Each structure stands twice: as structure tokens, then as C-alpha cells.
Amino acid sequence: MSNQKRIYQIAKQINISHQEIVSFLIEKGFDVTNHMSPVDEETFQVILKNFASDLYQIEQDQKELDRKALEEQRRIEEEERIRKADDEKSARDIEERQRREAEVQRRNEIEDAKRRVEVERVEAIERAKRELIEAEERKLAEAQAEIEKEDLEKQKAAKKAAKPTILRPGEDLTIKPEETLSDKIIAKKIERKIKHVVKASTSADKSKRTKKRRTFDQKEVDASIKKVMTSLDTGKKRKRRREGKQEDIVEDFVYRVSEFISVHDFADLIEIDVADIIGKCMDMGMMVTINQRIDQDTIELLAAEFEINVEFQDDTLTNVDEEIAQEVLDDTELESRPPVVTIMGHVDHGKTSLLDYVRKADVISGEAGGITQHIGAYSVSVGDGKTITFLDTPGHEAFTAMRARGAQVTDIVVIVVAADDAVMPQTIEAIDHAKAAGVPIIFAINKIDKTGADAERVRRELSERDMLVESWGGKIPDVEISAKFGTNVSDLLEAVVLEAEMLDLKSKASGRARGIVVESRLDKGIGAVATVLIHRGQLKIGDAFVCGDQSGRVRALKNDKGKRIKVAGPSTPVEIHGFGDVARAGDNLVVMHNDKEAREVSKQRQEIRREQDFKRMRHMTLDEISRQISEGKVKEVPLMIKGDVDGSIEALADSFMKMSTNEVAVRIIHRGIGMIKESDVLLAAASNAIIVGFNVTADSNARLLAKADGVEIRYYDVIYAAVDDVYQALEGLLEPDVMKNDIGTAEVTELFKIPKIGLIAGSKVISGVARRDAKVRLVREGEILFDGALNALKRFKDEVKEVIEGNECGISLKDFSKINVGDTIEFYTEDIVKRKLGSTPKL
């Protein structure tokens, strides 16, 4: 209705009376009544033809113009589309050309770098040679001066006594020069110089003293040579036996060296010339300078070359550490201490629930996903004034390092095994850790209250692993318990107390404290905090200490219940405030005499650690370059890990690194404790890394910067969720497998040459189907001559998509024309199959 016009509007438009239009339409049989009647487009055109033919023609012309304008617009749009496509193609060509130029430039840079390295190597060789020559010239000059002095003394003696020197019968003046080439050269030069000097002095004596003539025999010359060579060799004597000749020091002398010692210091230590050390390194293909530090492998190779014995010592040990390590404790100073018991076992077997019942506190509700994420240390009173210190370790497979650390600091290990699940992988691992640490084991067979619980199955599987429990006549205690209802938990504690009494655990309860860091974290309001298990002495507020390469002073002590205490004794887990930075789990804490001593030890250890980290980082980088050159570029997932505690970060990093294969790898660019900050985002952006936050968040500035730079931040509070996500990311980087499926076979019966097309193979499909979009193999006498795509597939003169079995067709191969009658053409398709991590690519 919106397109219809009324009669009075049309009359006004063509400037006639509306009554004339009404009368005309009624005569023509149109259904109208008055000037307000609407008319459709067809009626409107009839009115125009009859009353305004010129206006009708104008309207028709206008429509034609509109149509042409629309066609012109479409043509322009098509040309614009074609132009953009050409521009995109040109841009791709330019980009490809730039890529090729960059590749050529990169290769040229590599070649330039190789040439520079070669030039530097040659210069280093020449420099080392010059140093050797200068050293030889200095030795020769010293020898000449010694010879001239000796000759002068002989001339003075000849004036007093004209008779020759008398040698004792049987005296052996034969020298045995060193085996090195430089010493042989020096010896030859000295011998020639001595003979020249003796000859010159003899001629002078002959001309000056014709009456008083002195004669020199060969033995005198040999004696002079031996004396000079002996004086040269005194600086090179080694403290060992040589060729059965007894020297001052015994043969098996051991030199104590430290890793990353300088070449100069190593040469001074073993009393060998620096030039000889540099020469040996050159012979082994290593270019070193006099002040360069060498690693342990190089030191061992040099020791083997020079036939000496070396023993490596820890540079991070100070005199205080050595004093404490060598300290002999008096039995009268030792007092009984509580046992340290570590609870271990498979994930979700009830370790934390057992400790929860013992502590009468809900611990597990605070753990993410009901799984222990870090080591917890607690002291529990079991009556009769006796105390047990419990360590609760995670059971998830990612926390192997934590369980190993827990086994190293413990006295007794309680391994929890679920009666409805029996022995599992982490159960076996816990047994291995306890065996390696040499600590006694007690098995707690948990969940006996559940339907389907089978304690005998647990004992049977343990016996299969050489762990025979007391219930089966063995020596390892076992107790059936229900941690949920507390069944027989008291019996388990009695077994622990009995085992501790048999061990007779004692420690020095006074003096400077020593302990080990069980866990560390960064608290927002307090700073660096660490949970430390004291195993000797007393730790008091105000004590200066060093822990690993960090130093500090004890500002506050808290027990496992969060209460402040003033003193912590042996086997006491305590939370320490006062660290300068976050300590590493497993580091030893040692109380020092004062803050100055603690800072000095910390500074020394930090310098050594920085140097060792730099050396190892450089070594790993070279290995990585070599591996990528030999095996091809490896796809990597760079990650940055930030967490709330050191142990969880360590577990995450270990789990991620275990996923790496020879095709895809995880690269940890940084790990740290605390909130994600702007500096972390900047580092991740520069490395194209993903930030993994474990129980931490990012501050507002870091979130804004990450959004602007496109840095992805993932947050987790359960470790296996992070492991699963990274696992899937690595799987996505794997190259997929290509499966080839044969769909048909055709046999060439005759050949046709068609102008502008080329050779057409007249063929018959003998099996399956021949498809235009499939790939083909041309086989002749069992040998594949072509493997590629079709150029055309025809049935008679028409292009077809497929030809079924029994029909004839024409086949043209792309960029291949060496086809003979009788050849077989096999049609196949390729299916892309996603690979799983750990699977090998199918060829």
C-alpha cells in the first residue's frame, strides 16, 4: 500500500482535473470511485500513457539511466576488488622478497660471524705462540747469563790452577730433559750457546796466554749443561714420583681445587707454567686466556694431561661452615629430641585427613581441590609429655622434589596406602625416597571403613616389592586405620613413638642453631617468610643467620599454630620473619656470630652462584644451538611462573619440563615468588611468553600492560589444572600426521597429444573411483615416477569431478608428461590426524 498513489495526487502531478482521470478509469473498467481512490503501479502507467506521454517517456529514460548507473557502480566495485587483490598479491610478493633478503642477510651474518670467530681463533693462536716464544726467549737469556757467569768463574779458576778438572769414576752427568717440545728446543739452544762460549773463551785464552794454556774436555761441557738445565727445571718440579726416582713429596699428592678457577690460579696451584696450560687447552681445541675461568670438565682433562690428582671443593662453604661440619659433639651435651615424621603416599589416599584427625583441626578444607599444594610442618602432643613433628608432603605426581626433600629431613616415614586403591605410582615413589634416605618406614593402611576395602591386597602388593609387613611375619610395622573416623590412629601413634625410642634420637639443644628450610613464601604485609625445621641448637629472636645465599636477622618466630614464640629448639617447625629475600626450599640455615659475618658469607655465596649460573646458562645456550642445528628448529612454549611458595613453583617447573620432547619443548624463562608485576609482563612480552600465576594475582598496572601488549596471564590454584593446560598447548604445536587412503586405480590404455593442453592419458578405471580433487601416483614396474596433483580429469570432452570403476577417462598430470601405455595411476586422499604428546610422527 505504501507504493500506491491516489488519483488527486496524480492529477496534480500531470496538471489535469482529477474528474477526467476518474471518468477515464471507469470507462476502462478500473475499480475506482472518486479522487481519493488509490491506484497501483500498473494503473499509474496507463494514466501516464494516456494523459502525459512525455512525462512517461521521461520516467522511462530515468529508469534506464538508473540501471546504467547501477551497472557502472558494480563495474567500478569489481575493478576495485581486482585492484585490491593485485595489491595484496604484490604485498605478499614484496613480503616474500623481503623474507628472502632477510634470510640471505642472516646467512651472510652467520658467515661473517664464523669468519670473525676464525680470525679471533687464529689471533689467539698467534698470541699464545708469541707468549710461548717470549717465555722461551726469557729462559734462554737467563741461561746465557748463567753460562757467562759460570764461564767467568772458570776463567778465574784457570788462572790459579792450569790443570783440568778431575772427574770421579762412575759419575753420571747425563741429563734427562723434560718431554715437552719447548724444553727440548731450549736445551738445544743452550747447548749450542755453551759450546760457542767455550770455544770463544778457549781461543781468547790461547791468544793471550800462549805459555799458560788450559784444556777443556767434553765432560766439563756436559757438567755445565747439566747444571744450567737443573737450575731451569727446579721451577717445574712436581710433587710426585717420576720414573721411579724418589722426590721430596709422595706420589699421590692431591690438589684441592674449586670449579671455575682461573687459568693463572690453576697454574700456580699445580706449579706448572701458564703457557703450558694454555698450550694444552689449544691442543684440546679450547681457546683460553690467562685470566679466564675454566669449568670442572676442563680441569679434569688438564689434570689427566699433566698426570696430577685433583679434588673439587665447595666454594660456597665458609670457614664457619667447615668449623660446624667438623664440630665433634660431646655425648654429655646431647639431649633427647622429638622425632620428625613425614607422611607420604599417593594423591587422595588420606594423608592430610590423617594429620587432620591427629591435630583435631580442619586442614584439608583450606587446600585447593582438596589436594596438598605444599609441605606443612606441625608439632603434635601424643601424651606422656611426648611430642611428634609431622611433615605432610603432597601426593600428586608433580611434587616429586618435595617428597624427596621431605624424606631427607625426616626420622620416620609413614606411608599411607588406601585399602580400596592399593599400591599406586606415588606410593612406590615414596617407598623409594624412604629407602634412599635410609629412614624406617611404617605403613598406614587407610580407608578400612569403605566398602570394597581390601587390606590383604595392599600387603600382598607390598610384599611383591620386597616390603614385608609385620602382619605377614616381616619387620616393617603396619596399622589398619580409618583417618575419617579415627579408628586405630592411636595404635599408629604408638608405633611411631616405639620406633622413635628404638632410634634413640638426640641432638644438641644449646648453642648456635642450624636448620633446613621446608617451605618459603612472600607475604604481602610481612615480606619473605620461611618455614624452617630446627635440628640443632636454639634459634632466638635477634639471631643473625645465613640461609643459602641470603642473610637476615630473626625478627619474629611463630610456631605451627601461629602463636609467637621466643625460642625454637631441635625438631621444632617454626616460621621465621626477617629474611632479606625469599629463601629456597632445602637451603640450610646457620646462625652466625653477628650481622657482618652473615652478610659477608651471603655476599660470597651470591657472587659464586651468579658466576656458576652464568657459566651454566652459556653452556646450555651453546648446547641448544648445536641441537637445533643438528635436529632442526624445535617449537617452544616459553613460560614465566609466579607463585606464592617456592615448593609449588619448583613442582610446576619440574612438571612442565618433563613434557618436553625432541619436537616441542617448554622453556622456563623466569620463576619467582610474589604478585605478578609490570616487570614480569615486560619480560614476558619481550620473550613472547605466557605468565602462569599459581595462587597469586596480577596488580592493576600489570593487567593493563598485559592487555595492551597482548600478554596472556593464566591463573591457577590447583597444580594439575596448569599441567593439563600446558600439555594441551604442547600437543597443539605438534605437526599432525598425514594419513594416505587409496580410493581408486586407473590403467593407461593410450596416449593423446592435444594442442595447448599437452599429453592426455586415455585410461580405464579398474578399481574404486578416480576423483578430480584427489592426489595421484604414477607407478611403472613397481616404481613411483610421479606423486602429485591432477591437471585435468575428463570424460569424453567434459570436465568431470569423478569417474567410477569400469569407465574410461582422460587424465592429465600437473607438470609431468613422461607417461607410457600400461602405466598405473593410483588415486588417494590425505587425512590430517592430530597427534598426541609422546607419539612419534608417522611417515
Side-chain angles (χ1 to χ4, degrees):
M1 294 294 293
S2 61
N3 294 330
Q4 292 183 346
K5 296 183 178 180
R6 299 188 181 274
I7 292 176
Y8 79 90
Q9 294 175 338
I10 299 173
K12 185 178 180 181
Q13 182 179 356
I14 61 179
N15 197 22
I16 63 173
S17 173
H18 62 268
Q19 190 60 42
E20 292 182 15
I21 297 175
V22 172
S23 300
F24 171 74
L25 293 177
I26 292 173
E27 289 178 1
K28 291 294 185 180
F30 290 96
D31 184 16
V32 296
T33 56
N34 53 34
H35 67 283
M36 293 298 293
S37 299
V39 296
D40 56 13
E41 181 66 24
E42 183 181 356
T43 307
F44 177 65
Q45 296 297 331
V46 172
I47 295 171
L48 288 179
K49 285 182 181 181
N50 186 69
F51 293 100
S53 58
D54 293 339
L55 184 61
Y56 173 78
Q57 186 62 39
I58 290 171
E59 186 170 344
Q60 294 298 319
D61 293 342
Q62 184 63 38
K63 288 182 179 181
E64 182 65 20
L65 290 174
D66 291 343
R67 185 185 62 80
K68 290 182 179 180
L70 181 60
E71 291 180 353
E72 180 67 18
Q73 182 180 357
R74 290 177 178 174
R75 186 185 63 79
I76 292 173
E77 290 177 354
E78 181 65 20
E79 290 178 353
E80 181 67 18
R81 187 185 64 79
I82 296 173
R83 185 185 63 78
K84 287 183 178 180
D86 293 339
D87 292 343
E88 290 177 358
K89 183 178 179 182
S90 301
R92 287 196 299 270
D93 294 340
I94 293 172
E95 185 179 354
E96 179 66 19
R97 185 167 63 254
Q98 291 176 349
R99 188 188 65 78
R100 291 178 181 175
E101 291 175 356
E103 181 67 20
V104 172
Q105 183 179 0
R106 187 182 67 82
R107 291 178 180 175
N108 292 337
E109 291 176 353
I110 292 174
E111 293 296 329
D112 293 341
K114 289 181 179 179
R115 285 194 292 270
R116 287 196 301 270
V117 171
E118 181 64 22
V119 170
E120 292 175 358
R121 188 182 70 84
V122 173
E123 290 178 353
I125 293 174
E126 294 297 329
R127 186 164 57 251
K129 287 181 179 178
R130 286 197 299 270
E131 292 177 357
L132 290 173
I133 293 173
E134 291 173 359
E136 292 176 359
E137 290 177 350
R138 287 196 300 270
K139 293 177 183 178
L140 182 60
E142 293 173 358
Q144 290 175 351
E146 184 70 22
I147 292 167
E148 292 175 357
K149 181 179 178 181
E150 180 71 18
D151 186 66
L152 183 61
E153 292 177 355
K154 288 181 180 180
Q155 290 179 8
K156 290 180 180 180
K159 293 178 181 179
K160 296 180 180 179
K163 63 180 180 178
T165 304
I166 301 175
L167 300 177
R168 295 186 180 89
E171 184 177 3
D172 185 11
L173 297 181
T174 307
I175 63 172
K176 294 182 180 180
E178 294 288 336
E179 294 297 327
T180 59
L181 179 61
S182 58
D183 289 342
K184 291 181 179 180
I185 295 174
I186 294 173
K188 292 293 184 182
K189 291 181 180 180
I190 293 173
E191 186 176 355
R192 288 197 299 270
K193 187 67 178 178
I194 291 174
K195 290 182 179 180
H196 175 73
V197 173
V198 172
K199 184 176 180 181
S201 63
T202 305
S203 301
D205 287 343
K206 183 177 179 181
S207 61
K208 290 182 181 179
R209 300 183 301 275
T210 55
K211 293 182 180 179
K212 247 181 167 181
R213 182 178 179 184
R214 182 183 176 190
T215 60
F216 291 88
D217 59 4
Q218 185 61 34
K219 291 184 178 181
E220 283 187 282
V221 176
D222 292 341
S224 299
I225 293 174
K226 180 179 180 180
K227 184 173 183 180
V228 174
M229 290 301 297
T230 303
S231 65
L232 289 175
D233 289 340
T234 53
K236 290 189 177 182
K237 285 184 180 178
R238 299 179 201 158
K239 301 176 182 180
R240 58 189 178 89
R241 302 176 190 265
R242 180 181 292 276
E243 299 179 0
K245 190 173 182 180
Q246 178 70 38
E247 292 188 0
D248 296 335
I249 308 234
V250 295
E251 178 183 12
D252 56 350
F253 184 82
V254 178
Y255 295 94
R256 297 186 65 189
V257 300
S258 59
E259 190 178 7
F260 307 114
I261 190 174
S262 67
V263 174
H264 179 269
D265 293 340
F266 184 64
D268 289 345
L269 179 66
I270 64 175
E271 300 177 351
I272 292 180
D273 194 85
V274 176
D276 292 337
I277 300 285
I278 296 175
K280 286 294 183 183
C281 291
M282 290 170 56
D283 294 340
M284 292 185 292
M286 293 179 291
M287 307 305 299
V288 297
T289 60
I290 189 170
N291 294 319
Q292 182 173 335
R293 295 182 179 272
I294 50 180
D295 57 15
Q296 181 174 344
D297 294 337
T298 306
I299 294 172
E300 291 176 347
L301 289 174
L302 290 173
E305 287 289 334
F306 290 106
E307 301 178 1
I308 59 174
N309 298 321
V310 296
E311 178 182 323
F312 290 93
Q313 60 184 5
D314 189 359
D315 271 343
T316 62
L317 290 179
T318 62
N319 294 333
V320 177
D321 294 326
E322 293 179 356
E323 289 175 5
I324 296 177
Q326 296 173 3
E327 181 182 359
V328 179
L329 298 178
D330 190 356
D331 292 340
T332 58
E333 299 178 347
L334 301 180
E335 299 179 6
S336 297
R337 64 172 178 84
V340 179
V341 180
T342 299
I343 301 179
M344 305 176 76
H346 193 72
V347 61
D348 199 29
H349 273 204
K351 301 177 297 301
T352 307
S353 297
L354 171 60
L355 188 58
D356 181 17
Y357 183 84
V358 173
R359 295 178 62 215
K360 300 295 190 297
D362 190 10
V363 177
I364 197 168
S365 61
E367 299 285 358
I371 295 176
T372 305
Q373 305 289 328
H374 53 83
I375 293 179
Y378 315 99
S379 289
V380 177
S381 177
V382 294
D384 297 333
K386 296 181 179 179
T387 305
I388 300 176
T389 299
F390 282 100
L391 296 182
D392 181 19
T393 64
H396 191 271
E397 62 180 354
F399 294 93
T400 300
M402 284 194 188
R403 284 190 295 275
R405 188 163 64 246
Q408 291 169 359
V409 300
T410 193
D411 300 314
I412 302 169
V413 171
V414 174
I415 299 179
V416 180
V417 187
D420 62 340
D421 207 12
V423 177
M424 299 300 286
Q426 271 65 61
T427 310
I428 300 171
E429 186 187 88
I431 294 172
D432 293 338
H433 285 317
K435 286 182 177 179
V439 295
I441 300 173
I442 298 176
F443 286 105
I445 304 175
N446 193 20
K447 300 185 181 181
I448 60 172
D449 58 292
K450 294 188 67 174
T451 305
D454 189 355
E456 292 301 314
R457 176 190 169 195
V458 175
R459 296 186 178 96
R460 183 174 61 256
E461 293 185 2
L462 289 174
S463 65
E464 292 173 357
R465 301 191 174 275
D466 297 330
M467 303 300 292
L468 195 62
V469 297
E470 290 181 350
S471 300
W472 279 25
K475 297 182 180 180
I476 303 174
D478 65 309
V479 182
E480 296 183 11
I481 65 169
S482 172
K484 183 176 181 180
F485 299 104
T487 307
N488 297 335
V489 173
S490 58
D491 296 340
L492 177 62
L493 295 178
E494 288 179 5
V496 171
V497 172
L498 179 61
E499 192 70 34
E501 290 176 353
M502 294 174 62
L503 293 174
D504 192 21
L505 301 172
K506 292 184 178 181
S507 178
K508 183 179 179 181
S510 59
R512 288 185 293 165
R514 298 193 70 185
I516 187 168
V517 177
V518 177
E519 194 56 80
S520 61
R521 59 186 173 87
L522 188 64
D523 191 278
K524 294 180 181 179
I526 301 174
V529 178
T531 301
V532 177
L533 182 65
I534 307 298
H535 55 78
R536 181 194 296 183
Q538 284 190 342
L539 182 65
K540 302 180 293 296
I541 294 177
D543 282 347
F545 65 86
V546 61
C547 183
D549 57 0
Q550 303 295 328
S551 63
R553 175 181 285 272
V554 179
R555 297 201 307 264
L557 296 174
K558 289 184 178 180
N559 60 14
D560 60 301
K561 298 177 180 61
K563 295 181 179 180
R564 287 182 175 269
I565 58 176
K566 295 182 179 180
V567 180
S571 299
T572 303
V574 61
E575 184 178 277
I576 301 177
H577 302 173
F579 284 85
D581 200 354
V582 180
R584 299 183 182 183
D587 283 348
N588 286 316
L589 181 141
V590 181
V591 173
M592 312 301 285
H593 290 99
N594 50 55
D595 290 332
K596 181 180 179 181
E597 185 181 19
R599 285 194 297 268
E600 289 176 354
V601 175
S602 173
K603 182 179 179 181
Q604 177 188 357
R605 292 181 176 180
Q606 288 174 358
E607 291 175 353
I608 294 296
R609 177 163 289 177
R610 277 196 299 268
E611 186 165 352
Q612 291 175 344
D613 290 344
F614 173 75
K615 291 287 184 179
R616 294 190 182 99
M617 185 185 304
R618 180 167 175 259
H619 180 68
M620 289 177 62
T621 304
L622 294 175
D623 287 347
E624 183 69 15
I625 293 173
S626 175
R627 183 173 61 84
Q628 290 192 1
I629 291 174
S630 61
E631 299 180 5
K633 188 175 180 181
V634 177
K635 295 182 180 179
E636 290 183 332
V637 177
L639 296 177
M640 175 186 293
I641 304 175
K642 295 298 289 288
D644 59 339
V645 292
D646 182 64
S648 299
I649 297 173
E650 178 185 4
L652 271 174
D654 290 345
S655 300
F656 292 159
M657 297 301 290
K658 287 178 183 177
M659 301 180 195
S660 300
T661 66
N662 57 353
E663 294 181 76
V664 293
V666 174
R667 180 164 60 94
I668 308 296
I669 64 171
H670 176 70
R671 63 182 80 176
I673 298 177
M675 181 178 287
I676 300 170
K677 301 179 181 178
E678 287 184 83
S679 57
D680 300 322
V681 177
L682 291 173
L683 178 59
S687 307
N688 292 324
I690 299 172
I691 300 177
V692 175
F694 190 77
N695 284 333
V696 295
T697 59
D699 59 30
S700 58
N701 293 333
R703 284 195 295 268
L704 292 174
L705 183 61
K707 185 176 181 180
D709 292 349
V711 176
E712 183 179 4
I713 302 177
R714 295 288 190 94
Y715 303 100
Y716 301 95
D717 58 1
V718 178
I719 191 167
Y720 57 73
V723 172
D724 290 343
D725 284 356
V726 175
Y727 187 90
Q728 293 175 5
L730 287 177
E731 278 191 346
L733 292 178
L734 289 173
E735 292 290 338
D737 285 335
V738 179
M739 306 294 294
K740 295 182 178 181
N741 300 318
D742 294 333
I743 61 173
T745 306
E747 183 178 352
V748 179
T749 57
E750 53 184 320
L751 302 174
F752 306 96
K753 288 186 179 180
I754 299 177
K756 298 182 181 180
I757 295 179
L759 188 65
I760 299 294
S763 309
K764 183 177 181 179
V765 181
I766 59 177
S767 66
V769 60
R771 284 169 44 184
R772 175 67 179 84
D773 57 351
K775 291 192 174 183
V776 296
R777 290 187 293 264
L778 180 70
V779 181
R780 182 182 303 160
E781 297 178 355
E783 182 180 358
I784 299 175
L785 302 181
F786 173 78
D787 192 342
L790 283 176
N791 191 32
L793 178 65
K794 293 191 176 186
R795 173 79 173 150
F796 299 110
K797 293 183 179 181
D798 300 328
E799 284 277 354
V800 294
K801 292 184 178 180
E802 64 178 30
V803 179
I804 62 175
E805 182 180 347
N807 293 325
E808 295 181 344
C809 59
I811 299 173
S812 174
L813 304 180
K814 191 173 183 179
D815 300 329
F816 187 81
S817 59
K818 297 179 181 180
I819 308 174
N820 293 341
V821 175
D823 289 348
T824 301
I825 300 177
E826 299 175 349
F827 291 80
Y828 67 92
T829 59
E830 292 182 342
D831 296 334
I832 305 299
V833 180
K834 184 179 178 181
R835 287 174 52 206
K836 296 292 184 181
L837 197 64
S839 63
T840 56
K842 296 180 180 179
L843 302 178

